[in-house]
């Protein structure tokens, strides 16, 4: 059993903290938003009055925050983690954030004598509730070894992607593939409809041919072929279009900053920008087929 501070008890952080408690760890949670605190208290997560109280004496602190600026503030502001926590504490940021911030916060943590991991996740709220998340982890071997048993309480796959920031790099590359492939699969179904090819027939062929991919076989954007996909429940998320847009923007930013050529990733970001501007940010990202069908 470990004493763990958990900062950010939103849609993901709340069920992740609950999994740690279910595995026998002593968790103290903190969130700046009163509704998040209330919801966490209601599911039995012990709450600390402030960040300092959440991390005091903790062996590890997890953060699950919206964006890079929040992570920087929680780590580096006066009274933040790097001041409030003991340097023996393992710091694990599981938020999805930009690579630059991830690497610069790693640097500051390391200068303060802390071991830190960037460990963003995939699997969404369902995976967090079921304890089946995938953690993509960046940081040193020793820190990974310390964090592994804790992440194992929340996830099924823990993959060490390399040094500081490489967890974020892996997540951003994966989600760029996902965004682009969802658009490609959606375009194929929209084209098939126009040329008189039945959706189930297209699915049966492509799912066993060279166009096979996760966006088709696990998350099919038309109702019918994959009964569990959001297309069968009017594109209720799932993984929201707004989240997909966030991740595609992170990839686009990293490509621009590092001189990588990613024209399809960048165009996918523009299409999701358009889809979200239509008021669809809260619907599932596979719902973009509706915009593509209608010509945008
Ligand atoms: P969320 O907005 O529901 O939760 C974030 C929480 O952080 C909020 O409750 C907010 O009040 C809290 N917070 C913000 N600033 C804080 C501060 N200074 N101190 C303490 N708490 C603070 O977001 P979420 O859906 O839980 O996502 C969290 C992270 O996980 C994001 O980076 C997101 O991209 C990533 N992610 C989300 C999903 C998903 O399906 N929701 C999937 C994979 C990854």
């Amino acid at each position: 059993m470990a004493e763990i501070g958990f900062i950010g008890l939103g849609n993901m952080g709340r069920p992740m903290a609950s999994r740690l408690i279910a595995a026998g760890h002593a968790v103290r949670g903190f969130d700046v938003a009163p509704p998040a605190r209330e919801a966490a208290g209601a599911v039995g997560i012990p709450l600390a009055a402030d960040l300092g109280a959440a991390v005091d004496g903790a062996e590890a602190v997890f953060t699950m925050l919206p964006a890079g600026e929040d992570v920087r503030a929680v780590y580096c502001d006066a009274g933040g983690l790097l001041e409030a926590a003991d340097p023996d504490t393992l710091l694990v940021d599981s938020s999805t954030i930009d690579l630059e911030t991830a690497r610069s916060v790693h640097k500051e943590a390391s200068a303060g004598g802390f071991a830190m991991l960037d460990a963003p996740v995939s699997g969404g709220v369902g995976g967090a509730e079921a304890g089946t998340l995938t953690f993509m982890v960046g940081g040193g071997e020793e820190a990974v070894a310390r964090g592994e048993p804790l992440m194992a309480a929340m996830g099924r796959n823990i993959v060490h992607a390399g040094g500081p920031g490489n967890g974020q790099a892996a997540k951003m590359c994966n989600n760029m593939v996902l965004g682009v492939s969802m658009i490609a699969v959606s375009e194929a179904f929209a084209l098939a409809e126009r040329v008189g090819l039945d959706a189930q027939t297209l699915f049966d062929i492509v799912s066993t041919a060279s166009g096979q991919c996760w966006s088709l076989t696990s998350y099919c954007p038309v109702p019918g072929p994959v009964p569990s996909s959001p297309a069968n429940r009017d594109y209720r998320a799932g993984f929201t279009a707004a989240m997909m847009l966030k991740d595609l923007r992170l990839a686009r930013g990293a490509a621009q900053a590092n001189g990588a050529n990613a024209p399809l990733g960048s165009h996918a970001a523009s299409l999701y920008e358009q889809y979200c501007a239509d008021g669809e940010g809260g619907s599932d990202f596979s719902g973009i087929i509706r915009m593509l069908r209608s010509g945008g």
Side-chain angles (χ1 to χ4, degrees), residues 10-12 31-33 36 64-66 74 96 121 124 171 243 246:
N11 293 323
M12 292 293 288
D31 195 293
V32 280
M64 196 54 172
L65 301 163
V74 164
T96 301
V121 299
K171 162 105 190 177
M243 287 276 179
K246 173 192 168 179

Side-chain angles (χ1 to χ4, degrees), residues 103-236:
R103 288 193 169 143
S104 90
V105 171
H106 259 283
K107 215 177 231 176
E108 291 192 40
S110 169
F114 289 91
M116 181 186 170
L117 299 171
D118 55 294
V121 299
S122 75
V125 175
E129 284 168 348
T132 57
L133 293 170
T134 291
F135 284 81
M136 292 158 260
V137 188
E141 296 279 357
E142 217 175 291
V144 175
R146 282 173 68 190
E148 213 154 22
L150 304 178
M151 292 184 273
M154 300 178 275
R156 204 160 38 193
N157 301 310
I158 297 143
V159 189
H160 189 191
N166 276 24
Q168 297 295 350
K171 162 105 190 177
M172 151 183 109
C173 290
N174 178 71
N175 281 23
M176 186 171 76
V177 172
L178 178 61
V180 170
S181 67
M182 181 54 74
I183 290 168
V185 168
S186 297
E187 288 183 2
F189 277 107
L191 175 60
E193 281 162 19
R194 290 287 172 122
V195 300
L197 173 61
D198 171 63
Q200 183 66 50
T201 306
L202 176 68
F203 178 88
D204 292 343
I205 293 168
V206 178
S207 62
T208 55
S210 50
Q212 186 273 337
C213 65
W214 187 91
S215 291
L216 178 77
T217 54
S218 294
Y219 220 76
C220 187
V222 298
V226 178
S228 59
S229 79
N232 299 282
R233 42 174 209 267
D234 200 25
Y235 301 99
R236 201 162 16 90

